[in-house]
Amino acid sequence: MRLRALLETDALGLRLLGGEDELDRSVRGVMTTDLRDPSRYLSGGELVLTGLAWRRDAADSEPFVRILAAAGVAGLAAGEAELGDIPRDLVEACARHRLPLFAVHETVAFATITEHVVRQVSGERAGDLAAVVDRHRRLMTSGPAGGGPEVVLDLLGSDLDLHAWVLSPTGRQIAGAGETSLPGPVGAALAGHHLAATRTGHRAPHRATVDGIAYSLFPIRNTGRGAVPASRDVRESVLSDWLLAVEADASDWPPARLDLLQGVTQLIAVERDRRDAARTVRRRLAQEVLELVQTGAPPAEIAARLRVAAPVLLPGLGSAPHWQVVVARVEWGGAEGRSATGTPAGSGPGIPGGPVAQALLEEILVDPAVTGPDSADRIAVAHTGEEAVALVPLPAVTASTPAQNAERAEGAADGGPALHADVLLAAVREPLSAGLADDGRLTLGVSAAVHSPEGLRGALEEARHARRVAAARPGRVCAAGHHELASHVLLLPFVPDDVRRAFTARLLDPLRDYDRRHRAELIPTLEAFLDCDGSWTRCAARLHLHVNTLRYRVGRIEQLTGRDLSRLEDKLDFFLALRMS
């Protein structure tokens, strides 16, 4: 209720002595006091009633009013029963601190004012609860079918003054209210918080603070035909579920408001199911092409399938695009995990990796600069066994000759619109690592661009080889591209572990032992020397050493290993040993 309403109630006998411009302040409670310092009992928004027993002389008014103003009280009402007229020093102190001051007629008991305020505030709270229920009905009847998730988010903003966004598991913004967008790094950080909390079984909503702003994160569960039952392992769905990020701390929300937000997530889940159903067509096209490529079907048959797929995946951009193949695999360290409710799921068969990798790959391949779910409409991903395979179309290249076409396709793979393994995971590595936790891995391989059906089989094998190269690297999320297959990187993952250990131990163990005993830096010196292509001056400058000191260290390396770093063969052996160690 407002202070103005109290002044307009004749039965309360209030007379305004100052603060006419502050009468729209809200009153959330009432407190009666005659303490000189009542701050410990104030929480803000109160109408303070006082009989002025705390006042001994004019100097007492200023500190008393200053304490009330600092506590954020709504107003002060002083009784006239004790002193008659309200002291001028109190009126002036309230004016200095912009605190509304009322005089309470001697015939009106403070209990009467207290009862009136409590009754009004309680009635307004009951009205607020009814309004929440009404808004809930409005949200449920509006629904995403009337304009997408944005309709629901707009209502949250207009009715509850809540800023909210729908995010993908990698933090990509799918929907937001109005024109307010969430910065990419913030979305990625929120998604990482959400995935980590989900993996540890914490109950939603999850609270996260990014750049000093508090957010509450609500999971949007898939409720369609592909939904994972609540009793199943949470790892089957954690990397594919959307989330609702609300700019507010929901830890002290009443149950009615939490129920409202749960209803919002249910509405958005319906929209998610609808869009997943539309994605089925693209998945089917990808599955058909993949089966033809793997079974060695004639190029003409594959080309016919591609002609059917191209208008769906590249509407209006030509019927003969170039293609890239991306292969992904998600592997979990054990069969045991937690269910979606946070309870142990128990042991059983391994988690199917193909569907999880398929959903992840569909998300990863979306251009992070494009917002909205429809930006994934040109991505076709199939899954076979434990891996997912994506056919990514590139815009058709116009050239006068087939040779020029091929040259431009290769250029696209190296610097045009084609996908690059080293940047593909840059924006999603952090949140996905949180979702994979300490028992999951995502590895991904990218082929070069091809411009004919004959090239798809080779592109598929190339992407698979690249993924195996990525799998040999440390880390939860790793990728490799086709350009790495033309170097030693292709060979190293396939060296048997015992051979790898014996080779590196023979060359590097003497240096490690020497570094450990003498606190030397022979290994870092060797790495820098090779990185500088054996240049004494450049290597000495990088290490901030005198050239003679560098020559001494290199001589010690050669003495301990019996190798000669002026010979190409020995340089190559050291290079490979460092890469495999």
Side-chain angles (χ1 to χ4, degrees), residues 96-413:
R96 283 194 295 272
H97 291 280
R98 302 179 62 85
L99 182 66
L101 175 62
F102 303 90
V104 182
H105 195 271
E106 61 182 0
T107 60
V108 179
F110 283 174
T112 301
I113 300 174
T114 300
E115 182 182 352
H116 178 83
V117 172
V118 170
R119 186 168 58 247
Q120 292 296 318
V121 171
S122 300
E124 288 184 359
R125 286 174 178 166
D128 287 343
L129 180 58
V132 168
V133 175
D134 179 63
R135 280 192 291 268
H136 195 175
R137 293 195 186 98
R138 289 173 55 196
L139 290 170
M140 294 301 292
T141 54
S142 298
E150 291 80 4
V151 171
V152 182
L153 300 184
D154 284 338
L155 281 175
L156 282 178
S158 61
D159 285 19
L160 296 181
D161 195 27
L162 291 176
H163 299 290
W165 300 267
V166 178
L167 304 178
S168 75
T170 64
R172 177 176 58 90
Q173 181 175 320
I174 294 170
E179 299 180 357
T180 303
S181 60
L182 201 64
V186 175
L190 291 177
H193 281 291
H194 172 73
L195 291 173
T198 302
R199 284 301 315 273
T200 54
H202 289 172
R203 187 174 182 179
H206 309 130
R207 187 184 184 279
T209 302
V210 179
D211 295 338
I213 301 175
Y215 297 86
S216 295
L217 310 175
F218 296 80
I220 300 174
R221 307 291 187 195
N222 184 1
T223 58
R225 290 190 300 174
V228 177
S231 59
R232 296 282 295 278
D233 197 314
V234 70
R235 292 176 292 182
E236 295 186 49
S237 61
V238 66
L239 296 176
S240 59
D241 283 341
W242 289 357
L243 68 137
L244 177 68
V246 181
E247 189 180 315
D249 185 353
S251 58
D252 59 351
W253 282 5
R257 178 166 288 204
L258 289 173
D259 289 344
L260 171 62
L261 267 294
Q262 294 297 341
V264 169
T265 64
Q266 292 168 12
L267 290 174
I268 298 173
V270 173
E271 176 69 1
R272 167 72 187 273
D273 297 340
R274 185 183 68 80
R275 290 175 176 175
D276 279 351
R279 184 175 293 178
T280 302
V281 175
R282 297 191 300 277
R283 287 178 171 178
R284 186 180 301 119
L285 288 172
Q287 199 73 39
E288 291 175 355
V289 174
L290 177 62
E291 290 174 0
L292 291 174
V293 170
Q294 290 191 133
T295 57
E301 188 175 353
I302 298 175
R305 282 287 192 275
L306 290 177
R307 282 194 294 272
V308 172
V312 176
L313 301 176
L314 281 176
L317 296 182
S319 59
H322 294 77
W323 300 86
Q324 274 184 286
V325 177
V326 183
V327 172
R329 189 182 183 99
V330 174
E331 297 171 295
W332 302 101
E336 294 188 6
R338 289 188 174 273
S339 69
T341 59
T343 57
S347 60
I351 301 169
V356 177
Q358 182 182 43
L360 255 188
L361 199 49
E362 287 171 336
E363 169 61 26
I364 291 170
L365 292 176
V366 176
D367 185 351
V370 179
T371 59
D374 294 334
S375 54
D377 283 350
R378 295 175 182 175
I379 298 169
V381 183
H383 73 82
T384 172
E386 293 301 304
E387 69 178 12
V389 179
L391 299 174
V392 183
L394 306 175
V397 180
T398 303
S400 56
T401 67
Q404 290 173 326
N405 246 358
E407 182 179 352
R408 291 190 183 186
E410 182 64 26

Side-chain angles (χ1 to χ4, degrees), residues 425-463:
L425 298 177
V428 301
R429 189 181 305 275
E430 181 180 349
L432 290 185
S433 297
L436 292 164
D438 57 356
D439 60 347
R441 275 201 92 202
L442 167 67
T443 52
L444 186 144
V446 183
S447 79
V450 297
H451 64 279
S452 67
E454 291 88 345
L456 280 178
R457 187 178 182 88
L460 176 60
E461 291 305 314
E462 190 174 56

